[in-house]
Each structure stands twice: as structure tokens, then as C-alpha cells.
Amino acid sequence: MSTQNENGAPKPPTPPDFHIDANEGSDVKKVIAVVSGKGGVGKSSVTAMSAVWARRNGYQTAVMDADITGPSVPKMFGVGYQDLVATEECLYPATTVTGIKVMSMNLLTKQEDAPVIWRSPVITGALKQFWTDVAWGSVDYMFIDMPPGTGDVPLTVFQSFPVDGIIVVTTPQDLVQMIVKKALGMAKLMKVPVLGIVENMSYIKCPHCGEEIHLFGESKVQEIADKENIPVIARIPIDPDMASFMDNGKAEYYECNFMDGLKEVLPEVEL
């Protein structure tokens, strides 16, 4: 094979392919990463609500908790160490009451509050095993709850997994808007499509008159979305009921239509 172009100049090196194969017991059609540039914006809650929406609409759904050192997804769905099935060949994810498949570091430890004190290479290695060693079965949509920031774990997910798109989570504060732009920038560099933005903690509704109160100031999410030419999927209010359902492992019992915008942006799969 020639190492030169037609004009005789050296060809640029072929970029390395970091993609890894899924477990042979997996058939995952679409992978959606839920990201943000910082913590504390409700990324895990949005991931949980996205999975619940997909399952209620008839899709086979899974959640991979990629926040290895700060996992919270199992608690939201009421699953734990006892729900994980392991054989000599592979692991099988825990399954929630409505059939959502879940894999998280918290499912591998008997104590859910046990700290995971690992260096980055070990963390990314464990994350890859969630893809290679877990038999997910047939999944239409897998939502990946990403850790905050643009470090090793997001880089590993984007380079190693077949990510079909990302959902960016933000809140109304100006500082968060700036950080979200970094997440959008990383997605562009990694050539991963941005499906849309979810603004969490967008407002609180007065229980007496129904007025929307903007605790963090007026939303700028539409301004950013228009500038980046991406849709706003949802504006989610602060709701004590939602927090209670999530805290008590009842995410699937919380009734809302906040995530209905997903039907307009998720890549299609056949039911």
C-alpha cells in the first residue's frame, strides 16, 4: 500500500479506531449519552425520566450509569446488589419493575454508600466492561448517564461506544450556560450529534395560583438553542414530588409529560 498521495506527499496517518465490540449477548440499537459540563444540574434525573418515557412508549430500554465514582441511577429505580445476575461468562443487568435494564457500579457493591476510590485508568476500564462483559439483550434505546465535565470518561464513551447522539442538560444560571457550551464543543470535536437541550430546574409553579416563578432568573436556553441550531427538548420545573419519587426508588411511578419532546429528536428504531 502506498504511503504517499498522488502528488508524492506523505499520507497523513490513519486515526486509531478505539471502538470496542459489545458483549455477544447484547443487541443495542441506539445509544444516547446524557451530558453536562458540570455536576448538580440533574443529569441523572433527566436520564431516568428519558428511560421511563421510552419504556412507557413501548421501547426496550436500558440505562448505563457511567458515573463510576458517583453512581445514583440504581437508587432512583429501586434496584441494588441483590438484583444483579452474574455467571462465569458474563453479567446480566438488573431489571426494574417495568423492565428497564440497569447497570451501575453500585450494583457491584453490597453497600451502596461504599466509596469508589480509583484512578482514571481503572475507572475507564470498568466502564468498558459495562459494554463488553454485560449481556444487555435486545435494547432499542440505551441511555448513558455521564459524569460531569469533559474528561476521561466522556472521552472513553465517545471513542469506544457507538453513540448515536447526546442530550445536554443545563439549568438557567449564566455560569452553567457557559459550561454547557463546552459540552457542546466536545460533542462537535468528537463528531457526535447533539439531539437537543433539556433545561432542568427551569421554574417552580406556585401551588396556589399556578404562576411560574423563575428562581434562577429568566431562561436563556432558547437563545443558546437557536444559536447552536438545536432543539429544546424540555424545560423541567423544580418539583418536590419528583424528588421524592427519585429518592425513594420510584422513578417509574412518577407521572409527567416533560420528556415528550424526545419523540421528535430520538433516532428512530422499529418497535
Side-chain angles (χ1 to χ4, degrees), residues 151-170:
D152 281 352
V153 169
L155 185 62
T156 297
V157 170
F158 291 150
Q159 289 185 328
S160 303
F161 301 169
V163 179
D164 296 281
I166 71 168
I167 296 170
V168 180
V169 183
T170 182

Side-chain angles (χ1 to χ4, degrees), residues 35-44 67 146-150 169-171 173 175-176 179 201:
V35 309
S36 184
K38 71 181 294 295
V41 299
K43 199 163 11 61
S44 296
D67 195 349
M146 303 278 273
T150 55
V169 183
T170 182
T171 54
Q173 300 99 314
L175 177 62
V176 176
I179 296 173
M201 305 180 225

Side-chain angles (χ1 to χ4, degrees), residues 34-36 38-54 56 63-65 67 70-77 100 143-146 167-171 198-201 234 236-252 254 256 258-259 262:
V34 183
V35 309
S36 184
K38 71 181 294 295
V41 299
K43 199 163 11 61
S44 296
S45 297
V46 171
T47 303
M49 284 193 289
S50 298
V52 170
W53 179 90
R56 285 177 180 170
V63 178
M64 181 192 292
D65 190 350
D67 195 349
S72 56
V73 169
K75 183 175 178 61
M76 293 180 175
F77 286 101
I100 297 173
F143 295 92
I144 302 182
D145 182 22
M146 303 278 273
I167 296 170
V168 180
V169 183
T170 182
T171 54
V198 173
E199 184 178 72
N200 196 26
M201 305 180 225
I236 302 175
I238 298 171
D239 184 357
D241 286 342
M242 181 176 71
S244 178
F245 275 93
M246 297 288 181
D247 288 345
N248 290 287
K250 304 291 185 181
E252 292 154 294
Y254 179 65
C256 73
F258 301 138
M259 301 308 297
L262 286 173

Side-chain angles (χ1 to χ4, degrees), residues 104-118:
S104 170
M105 182 55 64
N106 259 15
L107 298 179
L108 298 173
T109 57
K110 291 184 178 181
Q111 290 181 272
E112 66 174 16
D113 57 353
V116 177
I117 307 173
W118 291 350

